[in-house]
Structure formats: C-alpha cells, structure tokens
C-alpha cells in the first residue's frame, strides 16, 4: 500500500476490516468493534446493553458459571458498533456480531432475524 501510494500518488486507502478477538479460555472472552469508551468519544448518543445472563436458558441448560455481555449501539441509527461477550461459545457468537458490524446492521435487523433455538446465536436477539 505504501509503495503503491509513493509510486502512483496517494490514491489508495487502506480499508481495515472489523476484526474480532477471542481468548479461548473457559469461559471464552470475545470482543469486536468499539469499546464503550471509544464509542462515547465517537458518537453523541450510545446505548449500552449489559447483563450478567447466567439465568438465561442456554447458560442454565449447561450449568454455565458465567455468561455476560455488553453490546454498544449507536442510539441515533440503531447500528451495532461494539460487542463484548464472556461465556460458553462466545468465540463463535462473536462472529455474528462481527458480521453485523461489518454490514452496518441495526438492532432491528438482528431482532427480525430468525435463528435456531435453543442456540447461543439466538441469544443475541435478547442482547440488542
């Protein structure tokens, strides 16, 4: 990219995709997009959905000791801008949030999607 811009002028822009990060511990810790602090500095109004969800069906059915999330949404547009998960299968579930952020999906887009139940992916409808 640098060489291309030096030779041909500064016409090319590096587009960095949204990249999820996962710590494959037990439970998984996964993150994608903006942190709450980053989102507050970038957007005028954000909505932060946070909950320890150990009483949700998926956590109860496997007796998960910890299951929590924080999802950050641009309040003006409904666009999901960050997601942070702690729990079983968070390493897989974060991929749905990565897709949502990459494609500028809103909370309404997620809530109107149909997922298999009971699945960890279906839980994201309650997270947004």
């Amino acid at each position: 990219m640098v060489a291309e811009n030096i030779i041909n002028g500064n016409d090319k822009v590096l587009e960095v995709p949204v990249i999820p990060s996962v710590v494959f511990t037990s439970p998984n810790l996964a993150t994608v997009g903006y942190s709450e602090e980053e989102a507050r500095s970038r957007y005028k109004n954000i909505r932060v959905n946070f909950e320890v969800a150990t009483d949700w069906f998926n956590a109860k059915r496997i007796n998960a000791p910890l299951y929590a999330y924080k999802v950050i949404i641009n309040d003006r547009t409904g666009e999901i801008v960050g997601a942070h998960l702690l729990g079983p299968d968070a390493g897989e579930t974060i991929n749905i949030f990565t897709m949502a952020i990459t494609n500028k999906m809103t909370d309404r887009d997620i809530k109107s999607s149909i997922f298999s139940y009971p699945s960890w992916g279906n839980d994201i409808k309650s997270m947004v």
Side-chain angles (χ1 to χ4, degrees):
M1 183 67 64
V2 172
E4 178 73 24
N5 282 338
I6 290 171
I7 295 169
N8 297 317
N10 290 327
D11 294 337
K12 294 223 180 225
V13 176
L14 178 62
E15 292 187 29
V16 180
V18 176
I19 301 171
S21 176
V22 180
V23 180
F24 288 100
T25 52
S26 183
N28 290 178
L29 175 62
T31 184
V32 67
Y34 294 123
S35 68
E36 182 178 348
E37 183 179 303
E38 291 169 327
R40 286 195 190 283
S41 70
R42 186 170 185 91
Y43 302 102
K44 186 174 182 179
N45 294 307
I46 63 168
R47 184 173 61 234
V48 178
N49 296 346
F50 168 78
E51 186 176 348
V52 175
T54 51
D55 62 340
W56 286 12
F57 178 75
N58 275 322
K60 282 184 170 184
R61 74 181 167 86
I62 66 165
N63 199 28
L66 187 55
Y67 185 36
Y69 66 89
K70 181 187 280 190
V71 177
I72 299 136
I73 299 167
N74 178 339
D75 201 37
R76 182 180 62 81
T77 64
E79 186 179 325
I80 300 162
V81 297
H84 313 281
L85 310 173
L86 178 64
D89 225 31
E92 288 296 326
T93 307
I94 202 69
N95 292 321
I96 298 171
F97 281 108
T98 302
M99 181 182 67
I101 293 169
T102 299
N103 291 295
K104 301 187 182 308
M105 293 176 74
T106 66
D107 54 348
R108 183 172 280 169
D109 294 330
I110 293 294
K111 286 181 182 194
S112 67
S113 298
I114 297 174
F115 295 96
S116 62
Y117 179 85
S119 68
W120 297 101
N122 187 69
D123 283 355
I124 71 168
K125 293 169 72 171
S126 298
M127 294 177 185
V128 298

